[in-house]
PDB file of all heavy atoms in Angstrom:
ATOM      1  N   LYS A1377     127.297  55.949  94.870  1.00 80.00           N
ATOM      2  CA  LYS A1377     128.107  56.747  93.940  1.00 80.00           C
ATOM      3  C   LYS A1377     127.706  56.548  92.487  1.00 80.00           C
ATOM      4  O   LYS A1377     127.858  57.450  91.631  1.00 80.00           O
ATOM      5  CB  LYS A1377     129.602  56.418  94.091  1.00 80.00           C
ATOM      6  CG  LYS A1377     130.251  57.040  95.298  1.00 80.00           C
ATOM      7  CD  LYS A1377     131.784  57.037  95.205  1.00 80.00           C
ATOM      8  CE  LYS A1377     132.356  55.667  95.007  1.00 80.00           C
ATOM      9  NZ  LYS A1377     133.826  55.661  94.992  1.00 80.00           N
ATOM     10  N   GLU A1378     127.181  55.334  92.174  1.00 76.00           N
ATOM     11  CA  GLU A1378     126.685  55.121  90.840  1.00 76.00           C
ATOM     12  C   GLU A1378     125.518  55.998  90.485  1.00 76.00           C
ATOM     13  O   GLU A1378     125.327  56.417  89.320  1.00 76.00           O
ATOM     14  CB  GLU A1378     126.231  53.613  90.718  1.00 76.00           C
ATOM     15  CG  GLU A1378     127.384  52.641  90.739  1.00 76.00           C
ATOM     16  CD  GLU A1378     128.063  52.536  89.406  1.00 76.00           C
ATOM     17  OE1 GLU A1378     127.392  52.385  88.394  1.00 76.00           O
ATOM     18  OE2 GLU A1378     129.262  52.516  89.360  1.00 76.00           O
ATOM     19  N   GLN A1379     124.739  56.334  91.482  1.00 78.00           N
ATOM     20  CA  GLN A1379     123.524  57.192  91.295  1.00 78.00           C
ATOM     21  C   GLN A1379     123.854  58.640  91.561  1.00 78.00           C
ATOM     22  O   GLN A1379     123.116  59.513  91.085  1.00 78.00           O
ATOM     23  CB  GLN A1379     122.370  56.674  92.144  1.00 78.00           C
ATOM     24  CG  GLN A1379     121.993  55.229  91.972  1.00 78.00           C
ATOM     25  CD  GLN A1379     121.557  54.913  90.576  1.00 78.00           C
ATOM     26  OE1 GLN A1379     120.834  55.694  89.956  1.00 78.00           O
ATOM     27  NE2 GLN A1379     122.189  53.845  89.997  1.00 78.00           N
ATOM     28  N   VAL A1380     124.861  58.940  92.339  1.00 79.00           N
ATOM     29  CA  VAL A1380     125.220  60.307  92.732  1.00 79.00           C
ATOM     30  C   VAL A1380     126.713  60.451  92.400  1.00 79.00           C
ATOM     31  O   VAL A1380     127.565  60.427  93.366  1.00 79.00           O
ATOM     32  CB  VAL A1380     124.915  60.572  94.213  1.00 79.00           C
ATOM     33  CG1 VAL A1380     125.150  62.043  94.525  1.00 79.00           C
ATOM     34  CG2 VAL A1380     123.587  60.157  94.574  1.00 79.00           C
ATOM     35  N   PRO A1381     127.097  60.697  91.177  1.00 79.00           N
ATOM     36  CA  PRO A1381     128.494  60.822  90.751  1.00 79.00           C
ATOM     37  C   PRO A1381     129.237  61.874  91.504  1.00 79.00           C
ATOM     38  O   PRO A1381     130.490  61.892  91.602  1.00 79.00           O
ATOM     39  CB  PRO A1381     128.385  61.099  89.214  1.00 79.00           C
ATOM     40  CG  PRO A1381     127.074  60.581  88.882  1.00 79.00           C
ATOM     41  CD  PRO A1381     126.183  60.786  90.037  1.00 79.00           C
ATOM     42  N   TRP A1382     128.504  62.873  92.017  1.00 80.00           N
ATOM     43  CA  TRP A1382     129.157  63.971  92.711  1.00 80.00           C
ATOM     44  C   TRP A1382     129.955  63.522  93.946  1.00 80.00           C
ATOM     45  O   TRP A1382     130.914  64.157  94.337  1.00 80.00           O
ATOM     46  CB  TRP A1382     128.044  64.973  93.216  1.00 80.00           C
ATOM     47  CG  TRP A1382     128.591  66.116  93.960  1.00 80.00           C
ATOM     48  CD1 TRP A1382     129.039  67.330  93.463  1.00 80.00           C
ATOM     49  CD2 TRP A1382     128.720  66.247  95.403  1.00 80.00           C
ATOM     50  NE1 TRP A1382     129.456  68.133  94.491  1.00 80.00           N
ATOM     51  CE2 TRP A1382     129.201  67.514  95.696  1.00 80.00           C
ATOM     52  CE3 TRP A1382     128.386  65.399  96.478  1.00 80.00           C
ATOM     53  CZ2 TRP A1382     129.428  67.936  96.998  1.00 80.00           C
ATOM     54  CZ3 TRP A1382     128.614  65.845  97.761  1.00 80.00           C
ATOM     55  CH2 TRP A1382     129.148  67.113  98.007  1.00 80.00           C
ATOM     56  N   LEU A1383     129.657  62.307  94.432  1.00 73.00           N
ATOM     57  CA  LEU A1383     130.387  61.757  95.612  1.00 73.00           C
ATOM     58  C   LEU A1383     131.774  61.266  95.276  1.00 73.00           C
ATOM     59  O   LEU A1383     132.580  61.050  96.180  1.00 73.00           O
ATOM     60  CB  LEU A1383     129.520  60.678  96.269  1.00 73.00           C
ATOM     61  CG  LEU A1383     128.383  61.118  97.172  1.00 73.00           C
ATOM     62  CD1 LEU A1383     127.654  59.934  97.680  1.00 73.00           C
ATOM     63  CD2 LEU A1383     128.893  61.951  98.393  1.00 73.00           C
ATOM     64  N   VAL A1384     131.989  61.098  93.997  1.00 76.00           N
ATOM     65  CA  VAL A1384     133.303  60.567  93.542  1.00 76.00           C
ATOM     66  C   VAL A1384     134.406  61.639  94.063  1.00 76.00           C
ATOM     67  O   VAL A1384     134.231  62.851  93.707  1.00 76.00           O
ATOM     68  CB  VAL A1384     133.438  60.359  92.081  1.00 76.00           C
ATOM     69  CG1 VAL A1384     134.860  59.987  91.610  1.00 76.00           C
ATOM     70  CG2 VAL A1384     132.434  59.336  91.627  1.00 76.00           C
ATOM     71  N   ASP A1385     135.427  61.096  94.685  1.00 74.00           N
ATOM     72  CA  ASP A1385     136.458  62.005  95.310  1.00 74.00           C
ATOM     73  C   ASP A1385     135.996  62.814  96.519  1.00 74.00           C
ATOM     74  O   ASP A1385     136.709  63.589  97.080  1.00 74.00           O
ATOM     75  CB  ASP A1385     137.064  62.971  94.251  1.00 74.00           C
ATOM     76  CG  ASP A1385     137.810  62.231  93.156  1.00 74.00           C
ATOM     77  OD1 ASP A1385     138.356  61.178  93.388  1.00 74.00           O
ATOM     78  OD2 ASP A1385     137.905  62.761  92.046  1.00 74.00           O
ATOM     79  N   ARG A1386     134.710  62.568  96.874  1.00 77.00           N
ATOM     80  CA  ARG A1386     134.181  63.219  98.065  1.00 77.00           C
ATOM     81  C   ARG A1386     133.484  62.118  98.955  1.00 77.00           C
ATOM     82  O   ARG A1386     132.550  62.390  99.711  1.00 77.00           O
ATOM     83  CB  ARG A1386     133.141  64.263  97.699  1.00 77.00           C
ATOM     84  CG  ARG A1386     133.665  65.419  96.857  1.00 77.00           C
ATOM     85  CD  ARG A1386     132.552  66.462  96.600  1.00 77.00           C
ATOM     86  NE  ARG A1386     133.029  67.589  95.772  1.00 77.00           N
ATOM     87  CZ  ARG A1386     132.997  67.525  94.438  1.00 77.00           C
ATOM     88  NH1 ARG A1386     132.560  66.505  93.799  1.00 77.00           N
ATOM     89  NH2 ARG A1386     133.464  68.647  93.843  1.00 77.00           N
ATOM     90  N   GLU A1387     134.105  60.911  98.917  1.00 75.00           N
ATOM     91  CA  GLU A1387     133.445  59.840  99.668  1.00 75.00           C
ATOM     92  C   GLU A1387     133.394  60.136 101.150  1.00 75.00           C
ATOM     93  O   GLU A1387     132.511  59.565 101.832  1.00 75.00           O
ATOM     94  CB  GLU A1387     134.297  58.550  99.438  1.00 75.00           C
ATOM     95  CG  GLU A1387     134.222  57.902  98.050  1.00 75.00           C
ATOM     96  CD  GLU A1387     135.214  58.578  97.065  1.00 75.00           C
ATOM     97  OE1 GLU A1387     135.845  59.566  97.425  1.00 75.00           O
ATOM     98  OE2 GLU A1387     135.352  58.057  95.894  1.00 75.00           O
ATOM     99  N   TRP A1388     134.244  60.930 101.644  1.00 80.00           N
ATOM    100  CA  TRP A1388     134.279  61.164 103.095  1.00 80.00           C
ATOM    101  C   TRP A1388     132.972  61.854 103.530  1.00 80.00           C
ATOM    102  O   TRP A1388     132.600  61.745 104.722  1.00 80.00           O
ATOM    103  CB  TRP A1388     135.500  62.089 103.505  1.00 80.00           C
ATOM    104  CG  TRP A1388     135.495  63.387 102.812  1.00 80.00           C
ATOM    105  CD1 TRP A1388     136.005  63.776 101.590  1.00 80.00           C
ATOM    106  CD2 TRP A1388     134.895  64.603 103.388  1.00 80.00           C
ATOM    107  NE1 TRP A1388     135.791  65.125 101.401  1.00 80.00           N
ATOM    108  CE2 TRP A1388     135.118  65.622 102.445  1.00 80.00           C
ATOM    109  CE3 TRP A1388     134.177  64.881 104.601  1.00 80.00           C
ATOM    110  CZ2 TRP A1388     134.711  66.925 102.672  1.00 80.00           C
ATOM    111  CZ3 TRP A1388     133.797  66.209 104.813  1.00 80.00           C
ATOM    112  CH2 TRP A1388     134.018  67.224 103.829  1.00 80.00           C
ATOM    113  N   ILE A1389     132.302  62.572 102.608  1.00 82.00           N
ATOM    114  CA  ILE A1389     130.992  63.206 103.015  1.00 82.00           C
ATOM    115  C   ILE A1389     129.990  62.177 103.342  1.00 82.00           C
ATOM    116  O   ILE A1389     129.286  62.288 104.227  1.00 82.00           O
ATOM    117  CB  ILE A1389     130.614  64.112 101.817  1.00 82.00           C
ATOM    118  CG1 ILE A1389     131.606  65.276 101.677  1.00 82.00           C
ATOM    119  CG2 ILE A1389     129.165  64.703 102.107  1.00 82.00           C
ATOM    120  CD1 ILE A1389     131.247  66.200 100.526  1.00 82.00           C
ATOM    121  N   TYR A1390     129.949  61.091 102.464  1.00 84.00           N
ATOM    122  CA  TYR A1390     129.009  59.982 102.706  1.00 84.00           C
ATOM    123  C   TYR A1390     129.306  59.386 104.063  1.00 84.00           C
ATOM    124  O   TYR A1390     128.339  59.071 104.869  1.00 84.00           O
ATOM    125  CB  TYR A1390     129.110  58.946 101.588  1.00 84.00           C
ATOM    126  CG  TYR A1390     128.180  57.753 101.771  1.00 84.00           C
ATOM    127  CD1 TYR A1390     126.861  57.875 101.389  1.00 84.00           C
ATOM    128  CD2 TYR A1390     128.602  56.580 102.350  1.00 84.00           C
ATOM    129  CE1 TYR A1390     125.975  56.813 101.516  1.00 84.00           C
ATOM    130  CE2 TYR A1390     127.760  55.501 102.470  1.00 84.00           C
ATOM    131  CZ  TYR A1390     126.447  55.603 102.078  1.00 84.00           C
ATOM    132  OH  TYR A1390     125.594  54.527 102.249  1.00 84.00           O
ATOM    133  N   GLY A1391     130.561  59.088 104.416  1.00 81.00           N
ATOM    134  CA  GLY A1391     130.919  58.534 105.704  1.00 81.00           C
ATOM    135  C   GLY A1391     130.555  59.443 106.797  1.00 81.00           C
ATOM    136  O   GLY A1391     130.027  58.931 107.908  1.00 81.00           O
ATOM    137  N   LEU A1392     130.664  60.752 106.685  1.00 85.00           N
ATOM    138  CA  LEU A1392     130.322  61.662 107.716  1.00 85.00           C
ATOM    139  C   LEU A1392     128.808  61.703 108.001  1.00 85.00           C
ATOM    140  O   LEU A1392     128.376  61.660 109.149  1.00 85.00           O
ATOM    141  CB  LEU A1392     130.823  63.071 107.344  1.00 85.00           C
ATOM    142  CG  LEU A1392     130.592  64.183 108.393  1.00 85.00           C
ATOM    143  CD1 LEU A1392     131.349  63.856 109.670  1.00 85.00           C
ATOM    144  CD2 LEU A1392     131.043  65.543 107.860  1.00 85.00           C
ATOM    145  N   VAL A1393     128.072  61.669 106.978  1.00 86.00           N
ATOM    146  CA  VAL A1393     126.573  61.643 107.039  1.00 86.00           C
ATOM    147  C   VAL A1393     126.132  60.350 107.767  1.00 86.00           C
ATOM    148  O   VAL A1393     125.289  60.470 108.618  1.00 86.00           O
ATOM    149  CB  VAL A1393     125.902  61.842 105.650  1.00 86.00           C
ATOM    150  CG1 VAL A1393     124.411  61.574 105.772  1.00 86.00           C
ATOM    151  CG2 VAL A1393     126.172  63.204 105.053  1.00 86.00           C
ATOM    152  N   MET A1394     126.690  59.226 107.330  1.00 84.00           N
ATOM    153  CA  MET A1394     126.246  58.002 107.927  1.00 84.00           C
ATOM    154  C   MET A1394     126.688  57.946 109.429  1.00 84.00           C
ATOM    155  O   MET A1394     125.938  57.456 110.287  1.00 84.00           O
ATOM    156  CB  MET A1394     126.939  56.821 107.237  1.00 84.00           C
ATOM    157  CG  MET A1394     126.356  56.569 105.828  1.00 84.00           C
ATOM    158  SD  MET A1394     124.622  56.066 105.873  1.00 84.00           S
ATOM    159  CE  MET A1394     124.741  54.385 106.301  1.00 84.00           C
ATOM    160  N   ALA A1395     127.809  58.527 109.766  1.00 84.00           N
ATOM    161  CA  ALA A1395     128.311  58.572 111.177  1.00 84.00           C
ATOM    162  C   ALA A1395     127.309  59.341 112.054  1.00 84.00           C
ATOM    163  O   ALA A1395     127.014  58.926 113.183  1.00 84.00           O
ATOM    164  CB  ALA A1395     129.672  59.190 111.224  1.00 84.00           C
ATOM    165  N   VAL A1396     126.803  60.460 111.431  1.00 84.00           N
ATOM    166  CA  VAL A1396     125.868  61.324 112.245  1.00 84.00           C
ATOM    167  C   VAL A1396     124.542  60.524 112.476  1.00 84.00           C
ATOM    168  O   VAL A1396     124.015  60.515 113.599  1.00 84.00           O
ATOM    169  CB  VAL A1396     125.615  62.607 111.507  1.00 84.00           C
ATOM    170  CG1 VAL A1396     124.462  63.403 112.159  1.00 84.00           C
ATOM    171  CG2 VAL A1396     126.894  63.485 111.519  1.00 84.00           C
ATOM    172  N   LEU A1397     124.009  59.987 111.386  1.00 81.00           N
ATOM    173  CA  LEU A1397     122.786  59.211 111.444  1.00 81.00           C
ATOM    174  C   LEU A1397     122.860  57.970 112.416  1.00 81.00           C
ATOM    175  O   LEU A1397     121.902  57.728 113.178  1.00 81.00           O
ATOM    176  CB  LEU A1397     122.328  58.752 110.086  1.00 81.00           C
ATOM    177  CG  LEU A1397     122.017  59.859 109.079  1.00 81.00           C
ATOM    178  CD1 LEU A1397     121.653  59.285 107.703  1.00 81.00           C
ATOM    179  CD2 LEU A1397     120.838  60.718 109.608  1.00 81.00           C
ATOM    180  N   VAL A1398     123.986  57.301 112.371  1.00 83.00           N
ATOM    181  CA  VAL A1398     124.177  56.107 113.274  1.00 83.00           C
ATOM    182  C   VAL A1398     124.309  56.610 114.725  1.00 83.00           C
ATOM    183  O   VAL A1398     123.723  56.020 115.656  1.00 83.00           O
ATOM    184  CB  VAL A1398     125.410  55.341 112.872  1.00 83.00           C
ATOM    185  CG1 VAL A1398     125.757  54.276 113.918  1.00 83.00           C
ATOM    186  CG2 VAL A1398     125.201  54.606 111.522  1.00 83.00           C
ATOM    187  N   GLY A1399     124.937  57.724 114.944  1.00 82.00           N
ATOM    188  CA  GLY A1399     125.176  58.259 116.269  1.00 82.00           C
ATOM    189  C   GLY A1399     123.856  58.617 116.934  1.00 82.00           C
ATOM    190  O   GLY A1399     123.720  58.451 118.133  1.00 82.00           O
ATOM    191  N   VAL A1400     122.920  59.115 116.158  1.00 77.00           N
ATOM    192  CA  VAL A1400     121.616  59.522 116.705  1.00 77.00           C
ATOM    193  C   VAL A1400     120.933  58.338 117.352  1.00 77.00           C
ATOM    194  O   VAL A1400     120.267  58.536 118.404  1.00 77.00           O
ATOM    195  CB  VAL A1400     120.732  60.131 115.617  1.00 77.00           C
ATOM    196  CG1 VAL A1400     119.336  60.306 116.089  1.00 77.00           C
ATOM    197  CG2 VAL A1400     121.322  61.430 115.109  1.00 77.00           C
ATOM    198  N   VAL A1401     121.055  57.199 116.835  1.00 73.00           N
ATOM    199  CA  VAL A1401     120.380  55.965 117.320  1.00 73.00           C
ATOM    200  C   VAL A1401     121.147  55.259 118.433  1.00 73.00           C
ATOM    201  O   VAL A1401     120.677  54.907 119.476  1.00 73.00           O
ATOM    202  CB  VAL A1401     120.083  54.991 116.188  1.00 73.00           C
ATOM    203  CG1 VAL A1401     119.497  53.669 116.768  1.00 73.00           C
ATOM    204  CG2 VAL A1401     119.064  55.621 115.235  1.00 73.00           C
ATOM    205  N   ILE A1402     122.494  55.013 118.229  1.00 72.00           N
ATOM    206  CA  ILE A1402     123.224  54.144 119.137  1.00 72.00           C
ATOM    207  C   ILE A1402     123.421  54.752 120.502  1.00 72.00           C
ATOM    208  O   ILE A1402     123.704  54.051 121.443  1.00 72.00           O
ATOM    209  CB  ILE A1402     124.529  53.693 118.506  1.00 72.00           C
ATOM    210  CG1 ILE A1402     125.558  54.829 118.374  1.00 72.00           C
ATOM    211  CG2 ILE A1402     124.371  53.045 117.138  1.00 72.00           C
ATOM    212  CD1 ILE A1402     126.940  54.435 117.966  1.00 72.00           C
ATOM    213  N   ILE A1403     123.379  56.090 120.532  1.00 68.00           N
ATOM    214  CA  ILE A1403     123.524  56.682 121.896  1.00 68.00           C
ATOM    215  C   ILE A1403     122.384  56.259 122.768  1.00 68.00           C
ATOM    216  O   ILE A1403     122.470  56.241 123.982  1.00 68.00           O
ATOM    217  CB  ILE A1403     123.524  58.205 121.756  1.00 68.00           C
ATOM    218  CG1 ILE A1403     124.766  58.662 120.952  1.00 68.00           C
ATOM    219  CG2 ILE A1403     123.633  58.837 123.160  1.00 68.00           C
ATOM    220  CD1 ILE A1403     126.101  58.252 121.402  1.00 68.00           C
ATOM    221  N   GLY A1404     121.230  55.839 122.226  1.00 58.00           N
ATOM    222  CA  GLY A1404     120.063  55.441 122.998  1.00 58.00           C
ATOM    223  C   GLY A1404     120.078  54.065 123.528  1.00 58.00           C
ATOM    224  O   GLY A1404     119.163  53.629 124.277  1.00 58.00           O
ATOM    225  N   GLY A1405     121.025  53.180 123.085  1.00 54.00           N
ATOM    226  CA  GLY A1405     121.127  51.848 123.639  1.00 54.00           C
ATOM    227  C   GLY A1405     120.233  50.837 122.889  1.00 54.00           C
ATOM    228  O   GLY A1405     119.607  51.121 121.844  1.00 54.00           O
TER     229      GLY A1405
END
């Protein structure tokens, strides 16, 4: 957020992106 101020008050977007990226890997074991 320090580098991308646009995420302020939109933190949930960061969480959603990370959830998708993590999901791609962990489904594989």
Side-chain angles (χ1 to χ4, degrees):
K1377 284 197 303 182
E1378 289 282 311
Q1379 304 302 313
V1380 188
W1382 180 84
L1383 281 174
V1384 176
D1385 296 331
R1386 298 182 180 89
E1387 289 87 350
W1388 63 272
I1389 295 177
Y1390 181 81
L1392 184 62
V1393 171
M1394 290 295 282
V1396 172
L1397 294 176
V1398 169
V1400 169
V1401 173
I1402 69 173
I1403 299 301

